[in-house]
Amino acid sequence: MTILVTGGAGFIGSNFVLDWLADLQESVVNLDKLTYSGNLKNLANLRCDPRHIFVRGDVGDRNLLAHVLDQHRPRAVINFAAESHVDRSISGPEVFINTNIVGSFCLLESVRSYWSGLPPADQTAFRFLHVSTDEVYGTLSKDAQPFAEHFRYEPNSPYSASKAASDHLVRAWHHTYGLPVLTTNCSNNYGPYHFPEKLIPLMIVNALSGKPLPVYGDGLQVRDWLYVKDHCAAIRRVLDAGRVGETYNIGGWNEKTNIEIVKTICALLDELRPKIDATSYAAQITYVTDRPGHDRRYAINARKIEQELGWRPAETFETGIRKTVQWYLDNSEWVEHVQNGSYRDWVSFQYGQEMVT
Ligand code: NAD
Ligand code: DAU
């Protein structure tokens, strides 16, 4: 048996593929465009593993999708592929529309065509799992209840609006065509292989290189942090036992202000990699102009997945953030690699195409 993962060279997707192949024998076809955030270094341990089949391609390429589906005949598709960074969506929304909306549409249509040609038992067993975000629900005031699955969609950024649109398409492909879909909406992930443009890895990497730690606005915005491996386990649980057509919110019950996160990282670095002059990394914290339209608070009510499917996060924030900081200290070569662009040269050489950035 085989599954098809899209975006499996990115942060969450690569953790998912690595964990899957560490635990299970089932092959993974990994279709990824290798944009600036997709990195085959994340999957270096699988280079000689015949269960991992990498295909460089775009979820918007329906010819390629038809070929890949026909050739590999997956029993499930897990869609991680997306443009994922809110700041980039503010400065350049178009690619978010193309990949997150049009790309998801193309993927749904290709999968629908493949699925409708399957024998009835395989059609029933098939799953299309769409990985989405808590940002589709908009922002919460300080004392509001955390996002539950029935909450209204109120996306505020070009990124979250594009993800909301894709969620609606997935829902419609189930209701209209009967495609057996599942949607997961999760909170902020952190952990290994996180591209250093997002808060946690950026702060670690900047701190170590003596750069400012840019905190947007007053730093009191709240995010609900989820260790990436817990997220991957939750996706597997939903894939195995989730009710078709349902959505599941996934979160770690770890609401923290941004400034708390940054100070925690500084304290961990002070302990694990003290500066020669014994000053704290916290001295590098710099308050900067706020993100336009910045959502104030996200928080996930994860009771549905806990009660229905018995999933619970294994990591607390304290254990997860320590592991994460240690991972970045142990993997400076990976950081250098994603920053200096040499992996892009390698990909161009390997695949004979210019990298899309
Ligand atoms: P990421 O940016 O690290 O990875 C995205 C991957 O998708 C990359 O490998 C990239 O090359 C690939 N990709 C982009 N455009 C593509 C296209 N047109 N065709 C094929 N592949 C393409 O993102 P991530 O943080 O790993 O997020 C994965 C998914 O999870 C996204 O759908 C994101 O919206 C969602 N999500 C992320 C978080 C988070 O905290 N990181 C939280 C909630 C939901
Ligand atoms: O909530 C889930 C979402 O979490 C995912 O859907 C997105 O793909 C993912 O990127 C993430 O979005 P955020 O915008 O919350 O993540 P980011 O790491 O960019 O920012 C986290 C918070 O930190 C946010 O309030 C903005 C703030 N921030 C971020 C950066 C990069 C700073 O204060 N300074 C920074 O330099």
Side-chain angles (χ1 to χ4, degrees):
M1 300 277 261
T2 301
I3 60 164
L4 171 63
V5 166
T6 70
F11 162 47
I12 304 175
S14 60
N15 276 287
F16 182 86
V17 171
L18 289 167
D19 290 358
W20 181 278
L21 291 175
D23 296 346
L24 305 168
Q25 283 313 310
E26 196 172 7
S27 306
V28 177
V29 178
N30 182 354
L31 185 138
D32 196 298
K33 187 175 177 177
L34 297 178
T35 66
Y36 76 95
S37 72
N39 183 0
L40 288 177
K41 268 259 172 181
N42 302 3
L43 302 160
N45 289 346
L46 302 175
R47 210 161 269 165
C48 298
D49 191 329
R51 296 169 307 156
H52 179 240
I53 300 135
F54 183 76
V55 179
R56 188 181 183 200
D58 193 320
V59 286
D61 182 345
R62 285 169 70 174
N63 289 333
L64 175 69
L65 289 171
H67 173 71
V68 167
L69 289 162
D70 188 50
Q71 188 185 1
H72 296 287
R73 317 222 44 92
R75 67 159 180 100
V77 174
I78 298 121
N79 181 29
F80 292 97
E83 286 295 330
S84 65
H85 191 34
V86 173
D87 290 328
R88 283 177 187 260
S89 84
I90 294 167
S91 57
E94 193 166 345
V95 67
F96 286 73
I97 306 305
N98 290 337
T99 288
N100 299 1
I101 307 180
V102 182
S104 296
F105 160 73
C106 293
L107 182 63
L108 280 164
E109 274 298 76
S110 303
V111 170
R112 179 167 78 89
S113 167
Y114 160 72
W115 168 78
S116 58
L118 291 175
D122 292 351
Q123 273 192 13
T124 308
F126 185 84
R127 295 290 180 271
F128 179 95
L129 192 152
H130 178 62
V131 178
S132 191
T133 172
D134 58 0
E135 300 199 11
V136 297
Y137 298 116
T139 187
L140 291 168
S141 60
K142 193 163 175 275
D143 300 318
Q145 291 298 310
F147 303 127
E149 288 78 359
H150 65 273
F151 275 35
R152 220 170 73 177
Y153 271 33
E154 293 181 340
N156 289 321
S157 71
Y159 163 71
S160 55
S162 70
K163 291 297 289 185
S166 67
D167 293 9
H168 291 319
L169 292 175
V170 170
R171 177 188 162 89
W173 260 241
H174 173 62
H175 281 264
T176 307
Y177 304 113
L179 189 69
V181 306
L182 297 153
T183 298
T184 55
N185 295 83
C186 78
S187 59
N188 286 62
N189 283 223
Y190 68 104
Y193 305 113
H194 205 181
F195 193 83
E197 65 182 353
K198 311 280 169 55
L199 180 72
I200 288 182
L202 182 78
M203 294 300 148
I204 299 171
V205 167
N206 275 15
L208 291 171
S209 47
K211 292 185 183 159
L213 308 179
V215 173
Y216 298 165
D218 62 7
L220 296 178
Q221 306 83 1
V222 172
R223 297 292 182 265
D224 183 352
W225 294 92
L226 174 66
Y227 192 64
V228 65
K229 305 243 170 236
D230 282 329
H231 181 203
C232 294
I235 291 173
R236 273 163 64 171
R237 191 68 199 124
V238 173
L239 187 65
D240 284 348
R243 283 183 293 135
V244 166
E246 291 289 314
T247 70
Y248 293 89
N249 284 359
I250 308 171
W253 304 102
N254 284 313
E255 284 188 61
K256 307 271 177 210
T257 62
N258 292 338
I259 190 64
E260 220 178 324
I261 298 287
V262 178
K263 286 184 175 165
T264 302
I265 291 168
C266 291
L268 279 167
L269 287 173
D270 289 342
E271 176 197 329
L272 299 170
R273 182 68 58 83
K275 286 199 201 181
I276 296 165
D277 64 4
T279 59
S280 173
Y281 289 93
Q284 290 164 234
I285 293 174
T286 311
Y287 287 89
V288 298
T289 309
D290 208 353
R291 173 185 280 176
H294 200 167
D295 284 338
R296 195 69 180 164
R297 175 178 166 235
Y298 304 141
I300 283 271
N301 174 344
R303 284 210 184 84
K304 180 174 171 182
I305 186 170
E306 290 177 359
Q307 287 171 358
E308 261 188 35
L309 305 182
W311 170 86
R312 275 196 177 61
E315 302 290 343
T316 63
F317 186 72
E318 288 63 36
T319 58
I321 192 68
R322 182 173 281 274
K323 281 186 183 175
T324 304
V325 170
Q326 191 63 57
W327 188 89
Y328 279 86
L329 288 172
D330 295 343
N331 289 276
S332 52
E333 205 189 309
W334 179 90
V335 173
E336 246 171 66
H337 193 64
V338 299
Q339 284 183 322
N340 71 17
S342 61
Y343 82 94
R344 294 174 207 185
D345 298 341
W346 180 82
V347 165
S348 300
F349 170 74
Q350 183 76 5
Y351 294 97
Q353 284 179 47
E354 276 303 300
M355 279 303 299
V356 180
T357 52

